[in-house]
Amino acid sequence: MAFAAMPSPLSVTFLLFLLLLGASFYTIEAREPFACDPKDATTKGLPFCLASLKVEDRVKDLIGRLTLQEKVKLLVSGAAAVPRLGIKGYEWWSEALHGVSNVGPGTKFGGDFPGATSFPQVITTAASFNASLWESIGRVVSDEARAMYNGGVAGLTYWSPNVNIFRDPRWGRGQETPGEDPVLVGKYAASYVRGLQGNDGNRLKVAACCKHFTAYDLDNWNGVDRYHFNAKVSKQDIVDTFDVPFKMCVKEGKVASVMCSYNQVNGVPTCADPNLLKKTVRGVWGLDGYIVSDCDSVGVYYTQQHYTSTPEEAAADAVKAGLDLDCGPFLGVHTEDAVKKGLLNEEDVNTALANTLNVQVRLGMFDGEPSKHPFGNLGPKDVCTPAHQELALESARQGIVLLKNRGPSLPLSTRRYRTVAVIGPNSNVTNTMIGNYAGVACGYTSPLQGIGRYIKTIHQQGCADVTCADDKLFGAAVNVASQADATILVVGLDQTIEAEFKDRAGLVLPGRQQELVSKVAAASKGPTILVLMSGGPIDVAFAKNDPRIPAILWTGYPGQAGGAAIADILFGAYNPGGKLPMTWYPQDYLKNLPMTTMAMRSSQSTGYPGRTYRFYKGPVVYPFGYGISYTKYVHTIASAPTVISIPLDGRHARGNTTTSGKAIRVTHAKCNRLSIGVQVDVRNKGSRDGSHTLLVFSTPPAGHWVPHKQLVAFEKVHVPARAQRRVLINIHVCKYLSVVDKSGIRRIPMGLHSLHIGDTKHSVSIQEAKLGVIKS
């Protein structure tokens, strides 16, 4: 959504719009009321200003006071002021993907707010598989966002998180997502949103937004860009994969907003599709909030996709489809004429406004003096606090994944090793560690700085940057590796390789990085530890199979404290417990795999390999969910049912529609409280305390359209050395043991379901109930 790269001719208009309409927002003095100023006698007593009234009554009153001309100017992200009603202009676009960001024009750093806590990129925190951590991060980010709002330098509407599926390993924005599994992504979405929005009933601390709906996971590949891409997706894949995180975000996270994407889905722009927006997001899932376009999406489908003949038709299609707010100027320019031409009713405009105003009222923006809000006391002292920065460090530690540790070579002993050569294009980076959609960090600890806190270092870049176009710096790197007691290579990617607008060409290390790694490892006097910094997976089979590289760490983009977290793990102050949230494929995986082919399932007839661990069965470098530790954990299932009976809803007669293909339709089953309780004993057999990630997979009964296996639950558990902890896992049968048939209908397959927890397996027979009871 970065406006700087918007396509011509839209970019000039869009930038002017942001500069002009956004300017008034930034001149507001700190804590000045957005509306309903108690000092304004003409407005403070109006019904929409009375916090004692119901939200819907306040919204209705305000809409009834607005003219059509005023209404259309509120349909855009740079919403205009309504001076006669005491309402100031508002910039809706702010970002908080992994910390308060200044990517959108709604937030500015400087003065009392020089920076904000920059947590690891989402792909890294997802690797923690720790839902309570995700919610904690959300709470900290919203504290800092509210503090900045109170200071007059930020908004309250944050267009985060990104809950698209990391479908293709080349996608430049995969780093922003929680990975490739729909349940993992959905759990992350609901947890982070709860942290951001707070738990004060209908009131909102800040308003989050789950984006980009839907089937959006291509930016610019092989001449195809997101502005022109038509994602052809089966009904089965929509329901089974792409819908899942958004549905969980709305229904479980109670998110205040959903953003539609640039691309078309099956020939219809998502922001003009009433089946997606009005019917599904608002109707079926029950969104209580607003739907916003990705920036200038309405303009994109008019000017670039040529979906409508006139701009008025484009505006009308969007509003009638269920779009409430346009990131960009388009609706503000063309909606009034659409009404005048009879393409749109003013009541449709009222409906859109009701949804945006609903959120602003719930945020307290019409309650008068901001200092009297429950979060009105937050200020500069609440940003970049020691506790917040410590959480950023802990988040990085929990997300780093140990991929290889032969010997074991890690952790490094400072008694055994006195000097370490630190080499690589990412060895002393700072900004690279915070990935994209970041703000200004409180401060940085680079890998070199972090390692230097433990041991004497000798530093050489090896490559000038991650593109590593030549070997000019190889000699110096090889020389220090041959002298030091151990070598740490920090290589990988950055935003020049994978980013918004930039998908990757392949999966190997860029340029001559692989050659650097191999030459340094061959010359190193001691062990060579490979540290990988990237959002997407990298084919490092060469290093995995090289005995001269005994250990490999993946850090993702580990945030402002990334270097400290890396060092804490390398030297044993922290026991790694992260697991990969995406499959690491070999380069050969891409041979018969256009990014534009959306199918998740493999095809034997065409040689199409399938996507993600759920549907791809070929060779991998490292599988989804992989990650090792400095200790060894053993799982034992203490108790679990062997038979589950599914009671049918009495309104539905048995027959093909209910039990087609020996699978019960979920909507015809009594799903309430229908869950499997599994008690798992986790024993730490090693000498180090550790936090273990318990992943539970299910393999459904055989069927050509079911996944090979799917994640159904995960838990994080801390287990002291040589101790045991019992973990209770509840698996909702209808949600997590169901599969989706070719018609897009979710069903529960009858027969044996195999649960996998590490090396332990347990079979559960699911059958149709005779008496409507659950047996164990």
Side-chain angles (χ1 to χ4, degrees):
M1 281 169 33
F3 59 82
M6 289 296 294
S8 180
L10 298 168
S11 53
V12 175
T13 306
F14 193 62
L15 283 168
L16 285 173
F17 166 77
L18 291 173
L19 290 170
L20 292 172
L21 289 185
S24 62
F25 176 65
Y26 296 117
T27 59
I28 299 174
E29 294 179 7
R31 294 181 179 269
E32 186 176 344
F34 166 73
C36 305
D37 191 333
K39 297 189 292 291
D40 185 349
T42 61
T43 62
K44 66 179 183 180
L46 295 177
F48 70 82
C49 290
L50 302 179
S52 58
L53 297 180
K54 292 181 179 178
V55 170
E56 55 266 33
D57 293 336
R58 299 172 72 185
V59 168
K60 184 178 179 181
D61 175 74
L62 176 53
I63 291 174
R65 297 174 186 275
L66 297 169
T67 67
L68 177 60
Q69 291 74 26
E70 289 168 334
K71 290 173 183 175
V72 299
K73 298 302 181 185
L74 299 179
L75 295 176
V76 293
S77 51
V82 187
R84 67 182 185 86
L85 294 176
I87 299 171
K88 295 180 172 63
Y90 179 68
E91 177 53 66
W92 286 81
W93 180 7
S94 290
E95 301 279 354
L97 183 67
H98 51 106
V100 179
S101 166
N102 56 352
V103 168
T107 303
K108 300 291 183 185
F109 289 109
D112 290 337
F113 300 94
T117 309
S118 194
F119 289 91
Q121 182 59 287
V122 175
I123 196 71
T124 304
T125 44
S128 72
F129 284 83
N130 187 344
S132 61
L133 174 68
W134 304 331
E135 189 166 339
S136 295
I137 294 171
R139 282 195 295 270
V140 165
V141 173
S142 57
D143 276 354
E144 298 195 349
R146 264 287 175 176
M148 293 179 70
Y149 173 77
N150 293 339
V153 295
L156 290 176
T157 46
Y158 289 85
W159 294 346
S160 305
N162 180 339
V163 299
N164 293 117
I165 297 293
F166 200 168
R167 175 186 63 94
D168 189 292
R170 292 163 289 193
W171 188 30
R173 299 187 74 177
Q175 60 182 291
E176 300 173 31
T177 77
E180 71 181 37
D181 180 83
V183 170
L184 168 61
V185 177
K187 290 271 192 184
Y188 177 91
S191 301
Y192 187 60
V193 166
R194 280 194 293 266
L196 285 175
Q197 295 189 166
N199 55 5
D200 186 13
N202 198 37
R203 293 183 69 92
L204 295 168
K205 188 178 179 187
V206 303
C209 174
C210 280
K211 64 186 185 184
H212 314 77
F213 191 64
T214 185
Y216 166 59
D217 45 31
L218 175 151
D219 267 65
N220 193 346
W221 176 82
N222 206 27
V224 180
D225 67 41
R226 60 186 181 172
Y227 306 115
H228 300 88
F229 181 48
N230 176 24
K232 297 176 182 177
V233 192
S234 70
K235 184 67 174 173
Q236 184 178 34
D237 285 340
I238 283 282
V239 175
D240 187 33
T241 297
F242 298 105
D243 273 0
V244 173
F246 290 94
K247 181 179 180 180
M248 293 174 71
C249 186
V250 173
K251 291 180 73 69
E252 298 177 24
K254 308 296 183 187
V255 76
S257 175
V258 169
M259 176 182 286
C260 52
S261 54
Y262 289 113
N263 57 290
Q264 297 184 356
V265 173
N266 299 325
V268 182
T270 63
C271 293
D273 191 338
N275 287 319
L276 291 178
L277 307 187
K278 187 174 288 186
K279 181 181 175 183
T280 302
V281 175
R282 193 168 297 284
V284 179
W285 299 342
L287 173 71
D288 182 14
Y290 69 99
I291 298 175
V292 61
S293 74
D294 205 338
C295 291
D296 226 16
S297 286
V298 183
V300 164
Y301 75 66
Y302 168 61
T303 61
Q304 300 205 37
Q305 298 175 7
H306 308 294
Y307 183 70
T308 63
S309 301
T310 67
E312 294 80 15
E313 289 172 341
D317 282 0
V319 175
K320 288 191 292 187
L323 188 72
D324 304 309
L325 186 72
D326 180 18
C327 176
F330 199 91
L331 289 186
V333 175
H334 300 293
T335 303
E336 185 178 352
D337 286 341
V339 173
K340 289 178 179 177
K341 291 181 178 182
L343 300 171
L344 192 63
N345 296 320
E346 188 169 351
E347 191 55 40
D348 295 320
V349 176
N350 292 346
T351 299
L353 269 184
N355 292 325
T356 55
L357 292 172
N358 164 288
V359 169
Q360 288 186 307
V361 170
R362 290 161 61 201
L363 284 164
M365 294 175 69
F366 289 89
D367 291 352
E369 182 58 54
S371 63
K372 294 181 180 178
H373 189 275
F375 301 102
N377 61 330
L378 295 173
K381 71 182 187 309
D382 301 296
V383 180
C384 288
T385 67
H388 292 182
Q389 296 195 61
E390 179 62 29
L391 185 63
L393 172 59
E394 177 61 19
S395 302
R397 290 173 180 145
Q398 289 197 28
I400 292 173
V401 182
L402 179 61
L403 296 173
K404 178 183 178 182
N405 193 20
R406 188 176 53 82
S409 296
L410 292 179
L412 294 172
S413 167
T414 54
R415 290 192 300 273
R416 182 175 179 184
Y417 304 110
R418 299 305 176 92
T419 60
V420 169
V422 182
I423 298 168
N426 282 338
S427 58
N428 197 28
V429 294
T430 52
N431 195 55
T432 296
M433 297 191 301
I434 61 176
N436 69 352
Y437 278 79
V440 177
C442 309
Y444 294 101
T445 303
S446 74
L448 178 63
Q449 290 170 326
I451 294 164
R453 293 174 179 175
Y454 282 91
I455 199 167
K456 182 182 177 182
T457 61
I458 314 170
H459 180 238
Q460 285 291 334
Q461 284 278 107
C463 300
D465 53 41
V466 294
T467 59
C468 201
D470 57 57
D471 64 355
K472 291 178 182 177
L473 304 178
F474 282 18
V478 166
N479 184 49
V480 297
S482 67
Q483 296 176 28
D485 296 330
T487 298
I488 299 169
L489 272 158
V490 191
V491 301
L493 314 178
D494 65 14
Q495 301 305 304
T496 67
I497 305 296
E498 54 175 357
E500 187 170 16
F501 312 111
K502 191 177 186 66
D503 297 322
R504 291 164 66 190
L507 302 181
V508 296
L509 284 168
R512 300 178 70 173
Q513 282 194 56
Q514 181 170 326
E515 184 183 347
L516 170 71
V517 171
S518 294
K519 285 187 173 180
V520 166
S524 181
K525 186 171 84 172
T528 298
I529 312 303
L530 183 63
V531 178
L532 300 166
M533 197 177 290
S534 71
I538 305 173
D539 182 351
V540 288
F542 80 96
K544 178 183 179 183
N545 298 323
D546 188 340
R548 296 165 300 185
I549 304 173
I552 303 174
L553 278 181
W554 175 73
T555 71
Y557 293 121
Q560 64 175 48
I566 291 167
D568 286 347
I569 288 174
L570 290 175
F571 292 94
Y574 191 88
N575 189 356
K579 304 284 187 183
L580 292 178
M582 73 296 203
T583 303
W584 284 38
Y585 305 92
Q587 173 69 21
D588 284 351
Y589 171 70
L590 305 180
K591 278 184 178 176
N592 191 25
L593 194 71
M595 276 191 79
T596 48
T597 302
M598 299 295 294
M600 298 300 295
R601 288 158 174 80
S602 60
S603 170
Q604 287 187 342
S605 60
T606 64
Y608 181 73
R611 295 184 179 277
T612 77
Y613 80 94
R614 297 167 70 223
F615 302 107
Y616 169 70
K617 267 190 167 177
V620 299
V621 180
Y622 291 107
F624 173 89
Y626 182 79
I628 55 178
S629 167
Y630 293 156
T631 190
K632 181 176 175 57
Y633 301 97
V634 176
H635 310 103
T636 306
I637 294 179
S639 70
T642 56
V643 179
I644 293 289
S645 296
I646 308 294
L648 292 181
D649 189 321
R651 295 171 297 173
H652 299 287
R654 292 183 176 91
N656 288 338
T657 58
T658 296
T659 58
S660 174
K662 296 184 179 178
I664 293 177
R665 194 166 178 160
V666 164
T667 54
H668 294 183
K670 289 183 178 178
C671 290
N672 259 359
R673 299 179 184 175
L674 188 60
S675 64
I676 295 175
V678 181
Q679 292 188 346
V680 182
D681 288 334
V682 181
R683 177 172 290 279
N684 181 345
K685 296 187 72 175
S687 58
R688 290 176 177 268
D689 297 355
S691 290
H692 179 55
T693 303
L694 198 68
L695 302 181
V696 185
F697 295 93
S698 169
T699 299
H704 57 272
W705 43 264
V706 304
H708 306 314
K709 66 175 182 177
Q710 57 189 15
L711 186 69
V712 295
F714 56 88
E715 292 289 341
K716 198 81 169 182
V717 55
H718 182 77
V719 188
R722 300 185 182 89
Q724 180 173 297
R725 292 288 183 267
R726 178 161 291 184
V727 183
L728 174 61
I729 296 170
N730 280 304
I731 303 167
H732 193 285
V733 173
C734 294
K735 280 184 185 177
Y736 302 125
L737 297 186
S738 58
V739 296
V740 178
D741 69 16
K742 289 185 175 181
S743 300
I745 297 170
R746 189 167 285 281
R747 299 179 182 275
I748 307 164
M750 299 295 98
L752 278 181
H753 292 244
S754 180
L755 300 179
H756 308 251
I757 305 171
D759 295 329
T760 304
K761 294 184 180 181
H762 176 79
S763 293
V764 179
S765 177
I766 296 185
Q767 54 191 233
E768 184 182 335
K770 303 302 180 186
L771 299 174
V773 295
I774 299 178
K775 301 176 183 177
S776 60

